[in-house]
Amino acid sequence: MTKARVWVGLLLLWMVPTSEAATERSSVVILGKVAGHQQVESLPDGRIKVHFEYNDRGRGPSLDTVYQVGANGTVTSAESQGVDYLKAAVQERYTAQGTSHAWKNSAEDEQREVPGPVFYLGLHAPPEETVLLVRAALRAPGQRLALLPSGEVQVSAVATQTLKGKSSSRKVRLYALSGVDLEPSYVWLDEDQRFFASGSSWSMTLREGFENTQELLLQHQEAEQGRLAQARAKQLTTKLDRPLAITHARVFDPGTLEVAEDQTVLVAQGRITAVGLSAKLPVPPGARTLDAQGRFLMPGLWDMHAHISRGPDGVIAIAAGVTTVRDLANDEKALTGLITDIEAGRDIGPRVIKAGFMDGRSPYSGPTKVFVDDEAEARTAIDHYAAHGFEQIKVYSSIKPELVPVIASLAHAKGLRVSGHVPAFMTARQFVEAGADEIQHINFLALNFLFDKVQDTRTPARFIAVGENAATLELGSPAVRDFIALLRDRKVVVDPTVSIFDDMFHNQPGHWHEGVSALLNRVPPTWQRWMRSGSGGLPDVPKRPELYRDSFLRLVEFVGLLHRSGVRIVAGTDNVSGLVLPRELELYVAAGIPPKEVLRIATLGNAEVMKRDKEFGRVLPGYTADLILIEGDPTLLMSDVRKVRHVIRGDRLYESAAVFRSVGIVP
């Protein structure tokens, strides 16, 4: 018998269910803070009862799920009830009888005949479901298993580790699941094939009593992710170790808003060295040539509101032509490691500008390890951020209003900008008057005029109040005009992230906003299903869809009014940059901003805010060669910004289609 067969045999013995009831509890840890739990009870009759909940700033699911598992490890019935992340009701049921499979949830009501083993993925499911999936897949031929509603998963063991918790030790094994997400996802099981841990540096669910092992678990996960990332980067990155000539391009310069025909752009050592008519500018001997064939060449895009993590985020950004992101909240250690790997060529990703995140202590604190409740804590945090390469401070909703001017003064003394959510019990006007340089999210501007309705904005009230009231906000009123004048006169920047309200104010079970249509057929089946489900909408959208739609349109109008009034807008997504930034830019056009000006906002304008406009954001000699080649003309049709064909990020060249395909996305 081969070693492989012995190993599979041992796994099968490992997976035999016990006749005794067993209960495990796991903690949900968000950036070092326990925010919830999962409790799993395995009953003698084969049923598995799961309760899963966590609190993330007043958001977070609360689910009760009961599974019945068949002899082959697949689920024969599952029933869930509770609420999802945004507190919308969840009621889901799945049953299997022979080859017949039926399921019903808020967005789906289907029945299907499937002859062989298959595993149903819940639309809303606790982490425990991944354990059941791994067990079932390990029993299947080749450790591959078909999925319902669609797709296939393959499971493989990656690493083994013995961990010491507070009162005991456990031997655990890391499994990689391929086919469920854009790249392999990971779960840790103990020696009894029960759930031990899953997640990332941002949020992790792990066995109660072993919370102290998170860093070690992440080291193993990130080592595996790093191995895959390095192989991908080596395969897909063309290092420009000799000059590059991009010939016969239509070149858009955001500095002049002009498009020059039939241009050649020369690049050497990561910088643009010359730009001129192709007929007159010779290609240097030995240079690599990229014939643009009349395609549209422009500077790389910037996403000014990102939370980039290890995995597909940076890959998707580069594939879509996003060459710079500003990260507005992250785990410092994880972000630093990711930036180091990207810059060393061990991973694919954009340039990253770091903003230091802080919040006050409260039941609704944001996901951070940096809490500031007095001047001494503020000074310590700001000194640290200034000394470690951060360029601005982002405050969050639980910061005490009286601390904002202190934070602003301390940050400005260190040369750092100050931005953020408008803290609870404070208006946007007061935030600006206290010294803020920038406001994140357009809803906080609307809330400036809804202070009589909501003051505590630490919870989803900051979304719901806007959805219910923004439709009647008079943008031409003296109060709005006076507030806009204050923003303009103080040179306050607005980061609208209006596309996130596209989801919140439109999506409902089985219905999704039109911006999703551009992505549906490009992403893997599991992502398509999630998008088609209409997830991400606020709970009351189905009751009053017209009101929420009108409120969304008023927010879009507000963005256009800000721009026309001389208030600087920066383009950010608070989402997956490479997938959502085009929609953000389309919404700016819908707000009445001319396409050329929108492209300027997303390139040179963003660079100006971060004081990098002498190096980035133009197609001129001496500028960094962050360039994208596009099929079409986004100065005429903004949706063409999705048709990126090549990306130059300094001294690295990428073919967009190949990079997208590496994470399972159709170009």
Side-chain angles (χ1 to χ4, degrees):
M1 184 178 290
T2 66
K3 290 182 179 179
R5 289 181 179 174
V6 170
W7 172 238
V8 171
L10 289 172
L11 280 176
L12 293 176
L13 289 173
W14 212 1
M15 292 184 290
V16 175
T18 68
S19 59
E20 301 176 2
T23 300
E24 306 100 29
R25 277 179 64 95
S26 301
S27 299
V28 179
V29 179
I30 299 178
L31 283 183
K33 178 182 178 182
V34 175
H37 72 277
Q38 174 180 262
Q39 179 168 305
V40 179
E41 187 177 4
S42 301
L43 303 177
D45 62 3
R47 288 183 304 142
I48 299 171
K49 296 175 65 175
V50 185
H51 177 76
F52 175 62
E53 66 172 84
Y54 65 85
N55 175 28
D56 177 20
R57 298 158 287 173
R59 292 169 279 183
S62 179
L63 294 173
D64 286 289
T65 307
V66 179
Y67 296 99
Q68 184 76 50
V69 179
N72 66 355
T74 62
V75 173
T76 57
S77 70
E79 187 165 1
S80 292
Q81 58 184 4
V83 295
D84 66 10
Y85 180 75
L86 287 176
K87 304 302 183 184
V90 171
Q91 188 74 44
E92 183 167 12
R93 182 175 179 82
Y94 162 79
T95 57
Q97 294 182 344
T99 61
S100 179
H101 302 262
W103 64 95
K104 184 176 182 179
N105 52 51
S106 60
E108 302 165 331
D109 187 357
E110 296 190 37
Q111 185 167 340
R112 198 173 301 173
E113 293 292 325
V114 181
V118 66
F119 193 98
Y120 173 76
L121 293 178
L123 185 60
H124 301 280
E128 176 67 14
E129 184 172 277
T130 306
V131 179
L132 304 180
L133 175 58
V134 170
R135 290 176 183 167
L138 288 173
R139 294 184 177 199
Q143 286 74 61
R144 290 179 177 271
L145 185 62
L147 301 174
L148 280 175
S150 59
E152 180 186 73
V153 68
Q154 181 175 22
V155 172
S156 59
V158 174
T160 303
Q161 181 70 38
T162 299
L163 300 172
K164 184 173 177 57
K166 292 179 181 178
S167 59
S168 63
S169 296
R170 287 282 183 179
K171 183 180 180 181
V172 295
R173 185 172 296 275
L174 176 63
Y175 291 92
L177 294 81
S178 301
V180 178
D181 209 336
L182 300 181
E183 65 175 28
S185 53
Y186 300 93
V187 63
W188 292 86
L189 306 187
D190 69 11
E191 61 267 36
D192 297 319
Q193 285 284 291
R194 297 186 186 277
F195 178 84
F196 189 83
S198 66
S200 66
S201 61
W202 183 269
S203 173
M204 189 170 231
T205 304
L206 67 167
R207 182 74 61 83
E208 199 171 74
F210 287 84
E211 293 87 352
N212 61 303
T213 67
Q214 181 177 2
E215 286 298 319
L216 184 57
L217 295 174
L218 287 172
Q219 285 177 21
H220 284 284
Q221 282 184 211
E222 291 176 0
E224 179 64 14
Q225 287 177 303
R227 183 183 67 80
L228 298 174
Q230 192 162 351
R232 179 171 55 205
K234 183 178 180 180
Q235 177 186 0
L236 298 175
T237 305
T238 299
K239 195 68 184 296
L240 298 177
D241 49 8
R242 55 193 171 98
L244 170 70
I246 307 168
T247 61
H248 306 295
R250 303 180 65 241
V251 174
F252 173 69
D253 180 14
T256 62
L257 301 183
E258 294 179 353
V259 179
E261 302 291 336
D262 198 15
Q263 299 288 296
T264 288
V265 177
L266 301 182
V267 174
Q269 297 182 334
R271 291 192 175 270
I272 299 169
T273 58
V275 181
L277 282 169
S278 294
K280 295 183 178 180
L281 183 60
V283 174
R288 184 190 303 272
T289 301
L290 175 59
D291 187 351
Q293 297 179 332
R295 293 186 178 94
F296 187 92
L297 185 72
M298 63 173 285
L301 300 167
W302 287 44
D303 184 340
M304 291 283 273
H305 196 131
H307 303 283
I308 189 170
S309 60
R310 193 174 293 277
D313 284 5
V315 177
I316 297 171
I318 287 296
V322 180
T323 54
T324 301
V325 300
R326 182 179 62 175
D327 190 289
L328 286 180
N330 218 315
D331 177 78
E332 182 176 349
K333 181 179 177 182
L335 181 62
T336 300
L338 177 58
I339 293 171
T340 299
D341 285 347
I342 290 173
E343 295 307 316
R346 293 188 294 267
D347 205 345
I348 295 173
R351 305 177 196 276
V352 181
I353 297 170
K354 299 187 297 182
F357 185 66
M358 60 178 62
D359 200 7
R361 295 174 181 86
S362 87
Y364 306 104
S365 296
T368 183
K369 298 176 182 177
V370 180
F371 294 100
V372 169
D373 286 326
D374 55 39
E375 181 175 346
E377 289 183 327
R379 185 182 302 276
T380 298
I382 290 168
D383 286 351
H384 173 84
Y385 283 135
H388 288 82
F390 290 78
E391 299 184 31
Q392 73 181 63
I393 299 299
K394 179 187 176 185
V395 302
Y396 208 62
S397 300
S398 294
I399 289 285
K400 297 173 184 176
E402 61 268 25
L403 264 183
V404 174
V406 176
I407 291 169
S409 177
L410 291 170
H412 291 157
K414 292 286 185 178
L416 305 181
R417 296 165 43 75
V418 175
S419 74
H421 287 199
V422 175
F425 311 107
M426 192 178 202
T427 66
R429 171 178 281 276
Q430 291 168 340
F431 187 51
V432 170
E433 291 173 341
D437 303 297
E438 180 177 340
I439 298 175
Q440 263 75 54
H441 309 303
I442 189 68
N443 64 311
F444 281 107
L445 274 67
L447 287 167
N448 187 69
F449 308 99
L450 301 174
F451 201 63
D452 60 327
K453 300 183 184 300
V454 59
Q455 292 88 44
D456 188 350
T457 55
R458 296 174 297 175
T459 73
R462 63 177 177 262
F463 311 127
I464 295 168
V466 174
E468 292 179 346
N469 296 282
T472 57
L473 179 60
E474 291 292 340
L475 295 181
S477 67
V480 173
R481 292 201 307 269
D482 183 58
F483 177 60
I484 290 176
L486 173 70
L487 297 176
R488 182 186 60 240
D489 295 345
R490 295 286 186 100
K491 294 182 171 54
V492 173
V493 173
V494 175
D495 165 27
T497 65
V498 70
S499 54
I500 64 174
F501 302 102
D502 220 355
D503 289 333
M504 284 189 186
F505 290 6
H506 284 138
N507 286 4
Q508 56 179 300
H511 300 276
W512 59 89
H513 65 82
E514 64 182 33
V516 171
S517 300
L519 295 174
L520 265 177
N521 295 325
R522 298 180 56 203
V523 295
T526 49
W527 277 52
Q528 290 186 28
R529 181 204 189 190
W530 183 255
M531 291 176 176
R532 291 181 192 277
S533 74
S535 297
L538 292 171
D540 282 350
V541 170
K543 301 175 186 175
R544 292 179 285 179
E546 293 85 2
L547 174 63
Y548 277 87
R549 177 204 62 202
D550 290 348
S551 290
F552 173 74
L553 293 175
R554 189 55 49 89
L555 294 182
V556 173
E557 291 174 353
F558 205 163
V559 172
L561 178 60
L562 290 168
H563 177 77
R564 290 188 295 276
S565 301
V567 176
R568 185 183 286 275
I569 303 297
V570 292
T573 63
D574 197 13
N575 212 316
V576 182
S577 300
L579 297 182
V580 180
L581 186 60
R583 179 61 178 168
E584 183 78 15
L585 303 186
E586 286 176 333
L587 291 171
Y588 295 174
V589 174
I593 305 175
K596 288 183 178 180
E597 293 181 27
V598 172
L599 294 179
R600 188 191 192 283
I601 289 170
T603 53
L604 182 61
N606 288 345
E608 287 172 342
V609 169
M610 302 314 300
K611 296 181 172 57
R612 282 171 162 77
D613 52 301
K614 302 305 180 186
E615 288 190 82
F616 296 90
R618 299 196 69 180
V619 187
L620 289 176
Y623 274 70
T624 299
D626 284 3
L627 303 166
I628 57 176
L629 196 60
I630 294 174
E631 194 81 49
D633 188 341
T635 67
L636 302 176
L637 186 64
M638 187 53 66
S639 61
D640 281 350
V641 79
R642 292 187 176 88
K643 300 177 182 178
V644 175
R645 294 298 178 257
H646 287 88
V647 179
I648 297 97
R649 185 221 190 257
D651 61 354
R652 307 169 193 186
L653 170 66
Y654 299 95
E655 182 189 351
S656 175
V659 179
F660 268 130
R661 290 191 187 102
S662 74
V663 289
I665 297 176
V666 177

